[in-house]
Amino acid sequence: MEHGRRDPWPAGLEPHPDRTGARRAARRLREMLMAMLARRRDELAAGGAQRGDLLDRLLDARDPESGRAMDDSEIVDNLITFVAAGHETTAQALGWTLDLLARHPRVMAEVSAEIDAVTRGGCVLPEHLVHLVLTRRVLEEGMRLFPPAPIIGREVQDGFALERLGGLEVEPVATIIVPIWAVHRHRRLWDEPGQFDPDRFLPERVASRHRYTWLPFGVGPRVCIGAGFAMLEGMAILAVLLARLRFVPADPSTPAPRMAITLRPATPLRLRPLLRG
């Protein structure tokens, strides 16, 4: 069963030309976070108690080698990263993955059976997650077919030449777009790329592929800082849901994906939950 569009790009995936509006929104977000940070510093200076939240942790953070604390601009940079990168991405990954499972009831039944065997019918606990190997593969395959961040951009700092493209020169300050959606569905990299097949992520098959064929969290020194947490969070939510419920599609086909910061369904993605019998 093929999922998504036949062309390599979902609707709206191309970079949008309205940069002025985006810059205005980014500036407003920075101003709001700077004001929030200033209020927190004032509270602490007046003897207020720490709240133990992310902002307090960033204020307390120190470089392990130099002992240097972050300045306000660096703290805001980190807050923006957490807000922008963590907002709804896991929810989108889970929505698409549950839709895939609903349309592949045999795989959903196997996942439910794994959860039952690992938890023995009890609550899902942190120590159970390492044993939910099929559940993890299903989530990985869901993010291959529907990566929450379908493109990433990188600004070139030092120019270089692409030898495989005849020595094409990439100039400093150029922006390189990495089309994760296209990489995840490229026929030279994946067999039957439109098919839902969690066994692609069996250890031996992962070892046989290039490490850069699966990039839902990016790669390299700027890989998503929350990648490990996001996988554990997604697996835990799937395990809690599928321990008690099964899902059936409420519509005959999967909605087309569209780019709206994250990869969202163009129309509501509707599933019908049923108690497991």
Side-chain angles (χ1 to χ4, degrees), residues 16 27 68 101 125 135 146 190 192 231 251 255 264 267:
H16 198 278
R27 185 166 58 249
R68 185 181 75 85
L101 286 172
L125 301 175
T135 306
F146 297 101
W190 304 90
E192 298 183 296
M231 287 301 302
D251 296 306
R264 305 179 186 180
T267 56

Side-chain angles (χ1 to χ4, degrees), residues 152-168:
I152 55 174
R154 292 290 183 262
E155 185 177 285
V156 176
Q157 292 184 340
D158 300 313
F160 61 94
L162 290 169
E163 299 299 335
R164 293 190 178 184
L165 294 179
L168 175 68

Side-chain angles (χ1 to χ4, degrees), residues 8 20 22 41 59 148 165 172 176 184 260 268-269 272:
T20 302
R41 286 195 184 278
L59 285 166
L165 294 179
I176 294 178
H184 282 189
L269 193 161
R272 185 175 297 114

